[in-house]
Amino acid sequence: MPSTVEKLGPSRVKLTIEIPFADLKPHLDKAYKDIAGQVNIPGFRKGKVPAAIIDQRFGRGTVLQEAINAALPDAYAAAVAENELVPLGQPEVDVTKLEDNELVEFTAELDVRPDFEVPDFAELSAEVPAIATSDAEVDERIEVMRQRFATRSDKDGAAEEGDIVTIDLIASKDGEEIEDGSAEGLTYKVGSGGMLDGLDEAVTGKSAGDEVEFTSELVGGPAKGEQADIKVTVTKVQSETLPALDDEFAQMVSEFDTVDEMKADLAEAVARMARAEQVNAASDKIVSDLVAKTPFELPEALLATEVENRKQQINDQLARAGYTIERYLEDTEEETAKDADEFWAQVATNAETSLKAQIILDKLADDREVTVNQQELTELIFRRAQQAGTSPEAEMQHMMEHNHAPEWMGELRRGKVLREVVLASSVTDSDGNVVNVAAVRPDGSIDETVEAPEPQAPAKKASAKKAPAKKAAAKTEDAKAAKADEAGKKKAPAKKKADAEEAKAEEA
């Protein structure tokens, strides 16, 4: 089918496509057949109504419209492939010419992936924090395990640091109980802090049945930040006994026979996590550097839609958690935004960076003909099931019902090409050491057979000028139709900063 491309901007084109009637005829025949099977006309059997009678009764235009609607998707897809375009959204289609028994002409305006030059990967660099593991992290994990198997016993005497108290609490102001300011049956470890200022001092030395009052600043609820009178009733005091850290404990909580073996395994687990986090940080920074060194303009409509979707998603999550954006910013100390305007500006910036990264990685995957096999998709489904606490079968069903397969395949392709980019880049830690990213497996373990890369000298700039950006009609033969789209399952941002960051900028 003849088609032409007119560039309307760096990332927008207008396709003009002709459909000869020879190509439209199969769709016309089907339209007549479908209409004949749906109508009852005296003198004709159902399904045997002649085309002329259908034209007379319903109009030739009705049949043509149905045939054209059926032909448009294939004609559009063929023109996109012929002109090697990569759509970034749905087209705006308009039938501009209809000559019965001759041809149909229509136009499609659409946003497409713009032309851009990707820098040499050797020019990309990232500095990540040096790995600093310590025995304290291992001891902390062991302490958590001991706490899990601790035993408690009721205590007649006064509460001391380390004891567990059960308390009822009432907060009031000027003699009036504060809304949502009371709680019963709270358990609290004396000396742990983190609930109310002054609570440790108030309950220390108190026994079951004792009451105590003090003044403190509320840390939650509608009266958060206000001073209130706190009345605490101790209903139970318990002492806590931790199991001894011996070989018997190691055998109970692990597959190891001795404490030393268990500690060595925990130390390796801590190191693996630190290495995996370091590689993830390197990937994030390399992506940011890649985006910064690959300048191009995003389609305005695409970016606006993405920003609006993210804002809606965050507002929905905040509403479900009973938060406003102002209260969220006030409650989250780690949040860097000073007010709502700055917060939404960060959301917009993150959306732009994320979309650009996705478009760049998709182009690289197309150029390198990166493919995804069934095993890789299966492994992704198992990972998603583990993260969501569901079954692989449930994730598979979700993928099929919502047609997520292309999206998930795209995610895998981008991940594979990103790995190539990071391996070819320069990654050092804050101590100046080269990070051997290639040797770190996904679980953080080390492949000893992979040698560390040599420090790379700064890449020299090419003396020749870059070739001008190619026109849409001259794009690589391997470009495929793709739509920039992100999915995601965000956490409630009211929990902590990390959850808000995930809602604000999902990784490419």
Side-chain angles (χ1 to χ4, degrees):
M1 298 178 189
S3 64
T4 59
V5 177
E6 177 187 353
K7 291 202 72 170
L8 304 178
S11 59
R12 191 164 181 82
V13 300
K14 178 179 180 180
L15 272 173
T16 301
I17 306 165
E18 291 184 0
I19 306 177
F21 251 65
D23 295 331
L24 190 65
K25 189 175 185 308
H27 298 285
L28 275 171
D29 294 342
K30 185 177 185 304
Y32 277 118
K33 183 177 181 180
D34 290 345
I35 294 173
Q38 296 169 9
V39 298
N40 292 311
I41 296 179
F44 298 96
R45 287 182 298 166
K46 197 169 187 177
K48 299 296 183 180
V49 182
I53 299 300
I54 292 177
D55 288 345
Q56 181 182 353
R57 287 293 186 97
F58 303 101
R60 171 77 165 175
T62 300
V63 184
L64 284 171
Q65 181 178 350
E66 187 169 331
I68 291 171
N69 288 340
L72 282 180
D74 288 342
Y76 167 75
V80 165
E82 176 187 355
N83 292 281
E84 298 177 340
L85 302 176
V86 182
L88 296 180
Q90 295 300 316
E92 298 176 7
V93 177
D94 184 26
V95 176
T96 54
K97 185 185 296 184
L98 174 55
E99 297 177 359
D100 202 352
N101 292 316
E102 292 294 334
L103 62 83
V104 175
E105 179 186 272
F106 70 94
T107 60
E109 289 191 19
L110 65 151
D111 291 325
V112 296
R113 186 168 68 198
D115 292 317
F116 51 81
E117 295 291 336
V118 179
D120 186 339
F121 300 159
E123 298 177 8
L124 305 176
S125 63
E127 182 182 292
V128 294
I131 293 177
T133 58
S134 66
D135 293 338
E137 294 180 70
V138 175
D139 293 341
E140 184 178 339
R141 289 195 178 200
I142 291 175
E143 189 65 18
V144 171
M145 295 164 67
R146 294 179 71 200
Q147 290 282 352
R148 191 178 303 157
F149 289 90
T151 57
R152 296 178 183 178
S153 57
D154 291 348
K155 181 177 178 180
D156 292 332
E160 302 173 301
E161 184 171 347
D163 287 344
I164 306 299
V165 294
T166 303
I167 59 175
D168 296 337
L169 183 150
I170 299 175
S172 61
K173 189 172 184 179
D174 299 329
E176 297 289 333
E177 186 174 331
I178 294 173
E179 181 183 357
D180 296 332
S182 63
E184 296 181 354
L186 291 177
T187 58
Y188 177 72
K189 188 170 187 175
V190 181
S192 62
M195 185 175 287
L196 284 172
D197 288 341
L199 180 60
D200 283 320
E201 294 79 1
V203 298
T204 298
K206 299 300 183 293
S207 302
D210 288 348
E211 293 183 353
V212 61
E213 296 184 5
F214 63 100
T215 301
S216 183
E217 181 179 303
L218 298 179
V219 295
K224 176 182 179 295
E226 296 183 11
Q227 291 289 322
D229 298 321
I230 311 296
K231 178 181 179 181
V232 174
T233 302
V234 178
T235 60
K236 183 187 293 185
V237 178
Q238 294 178 301
S239 60
E240 186 176 62
T241 303
L242 300 179
L245 183 57
D246 53 21
D247 292 346
E248 183 179 349
F249 175 74
Q251 294 165 16
M252 177 176 66
V253 301
S254 72
E255 70 270 29
F256 299 102
D257 294 328
T258 67
V259 171
D260 289 342
E261 290 174 336
M262 181 181 70
K263 283 187 173 182
D265 181 71
L266 287 173
E268 174 56 25
V270 169
R272 286 198 304 270
M273 180 177 294
R275 285 192 291 265
E277 290 176 349
Q278 189 183 57
V279 170
N280 288 337
S283 296
D284 292 344
K285 292 193 173 183
I286 290 296
V287 165
S288 296
D289 198 24
L290 176 63
V291 170
K293 293 176 178 176
T294 312
F296 63 92
E297 293 296 322
L298 286 172
E300 292 182 4
L302 178 68
L303 179 58
T305 299
E306 179 65 18
V307 171
E308 185 58 34
N309 287 342
R310 291 187 180 216
K311 290 180 67 174
Q312 184 63 50
Q313 190 173 49
I314 292 172
N315 280 325
D316 288 346
Q317 292 167 354
L318 289 171
R320 286 196 297 270
Y323 271 66
T324 62
I325 184 62
E326 290 77 16
R327 182 182 166 194
Y328 165 70
L329 294 175
E330 184 180 351
D331 283 0
T332 309
E333 294 181 359
E334 297 87 354
E335 179 57 64
T336 58
K338 298 181 178 63
D339 53 37
D341 289 341
E342 185 175 347
F343 178 85
W344 293 125
Q346 291 177 357
V347 169
T349 299
N350 290 334
E352 181 177 7
T353 300
S354 180
L355 278 177
K356 283 188 172 182
Q358 180 173 316
I359 290 171
I360 294 169
L361 293 175
D362 281 340
K363 174 178 169 54
L364 291 172
D366 287 344
D367 291 346
R368 284 159 173 72
E369 298 183 348
V370 176
T371 59
V372 175
N373 59 41
Q374 184 60 48
Q375 178 63 28
E376 291 167 332
L377 181 58
T378 300
E379 290 173 357
L380 175 64
I381 290 172
F382 272 81
R383 287 198 300 272
R384 284 181 172 271
Q386 185 178 24
Q387 293 167 0
T390 59
S391 67
E393 293 76 15
E395 289 298 315
M396 175 71 79
Q397 182 68 24
H398 175 78
M399 181 186 74
M400 300 295 289
E401 289 179 354
H402 298 276
N403 193 31
H404 283 320
E407 175 189 332
W408 293 5
M409 298 273 278
E411 177 184 326
L412 287 169
R413 293 177 77 233
R414 288 189 289 275
K416 292 173 76 171
V417 79
L418 175 58
R419 175 77 173 173
E420 293 182 28
V421 175
V422 174
L423 292 181
S425 305
S426 173
V427 181
T428 57
D429 66 20
S430 53
D431 292 336
N433 301 311
V434 174
V435 178
N436 189 5
V437 175
V440 181
R441 300 187 180 98
D443 65 351
S445 61
I446 293 291
D447 185 349
E448 300 291 350
T449 65
V450 180
E451 296 183 0
E454 294 293 333
Q456 296 181 358
K460 295 181 180 180
K461 295 183 178 180
S463 58
K465 294 182 178 179
K466 291 183 178 179
K470 297 178 181 179
K471 293 185 177 180
K475 287 187 178 179
T476 173
E477 293 181 359
D478 302 286
K480 301 177 179 67
K483 180 180 179 182
D485 183 23
E486 295 180 10
K489 335 61 205 149
K490 308 291 192 303
K491 302 175 185 177
K495 293 181 180 178
K496 54 182 178 179
K497 170 69 159 55
D499 298 330
E501 285 300 321
E502 183 176 353
K504 287 163 57 182
E506 179 178 355
E507 298 299 331

